[in-house]
Amino acid sequence: MAPSVLTLPGLHGSGPSHWQTLWERRRENIVRVKQRDWARPECEAWVAALENAIAGCAEPPVLAAHSLGCITAVLWAASGAGAVAGALLVCPSDTEREDAPAELAGFRPIPMKRLPFPSILVASSTDPYLSVERSFGFARAWGSRRVEIGPAGHINAASGFGPWPAGEALLDELL
């Protein structure tokens, strides 16, 4: 059986037509990391929820993270706890940008060191929360393979990404 996959949604979670939710419904080995409060994120609580979810896996899981979920994964990795088999990091939210919402301040600074597992960073040339330049910087620092899919907004349901088979193929590469 394939390793388990943990999805890490971003701020406000992932709604019913978001690619993470659709993948969770279709594939038995995908489980969402649940957060106590999706609207008022607390970094320590989000990282602890990820740590608990990883500890509950029979083998190192693959992470499928979006937006603030990516930053949560990177912060968890910087803590040196546990092990994961890889990570799909889709549109990491740049919590250090000038116009970042105040509730994301606890997710700073963003660690800029190599991740201890394989990762793929998926970027969009029109993401409102991550500049193209910053996506290159994250990919370099984290040792991630960077995949840009063009003008795709934040790669969420609002940007027209429901099932997103191309993203699922990237996940399968990590599996």
Side-chain angles (χ1 to χ4, degrees), residues 1-32:
M1 184 170 149
S4 56
V5 176
L6 298 175
T7 58
L8 288 86
L11 186 63
H12 304 296
S14 295
S17 57
H18 190 282
W19 55 267
Q20 286 178 314
T21 306
L22 297 174
W23 293 0
E24 291 162 5
R25 286 186 196 142
R26 283 196 18 257
R27 293 172 73 157
E28 291 180 8
N29 67 328
I30 299 181
V31 176
R32 179 172 295 204

Side-chain angles (χ1 to χ4, degrees), residues 57-114:
C57 293
E59 55 189 75
V62 169
L63 307 178
H66 182 246
S67 195
L68 189 59
C70 297
I71 304 305
T72 302
V74 170
L75 287 162
W76 171 83
S79 74
V84 299
L88 179 64
L89 305 169
V90 181
C91 288
S93 179
D94 185 357
T95 59
E96 297 175 343
R97 69 186 192 282
E98 239 179 73
D99 65 341
E103 63 261 36
L104 302 186
F107 292 81
R108 300 176 194 145
I110 297 170
M112 297 298 280
K113 65 181 193 177
R114 188 171 196 81

Side-chain angles (χ1 to χ4, degrees), residues 73-81 84 87 89 110-120 136-146:
V74 170
L75 287 162
W76 171 83
S79 74
V84 299
L89 305 169
I110 297 170
M112 297 298 280
K113 65 181 193 177
R114 188 171 196 81
L115 296 173
F117 44 80
S119 60
I120 299 171
F136 275 106
F138 284 166
R140 268 192 307 277
W142 300 339
S144 303
R145 177 165 62 102
R146 184 180 175 282

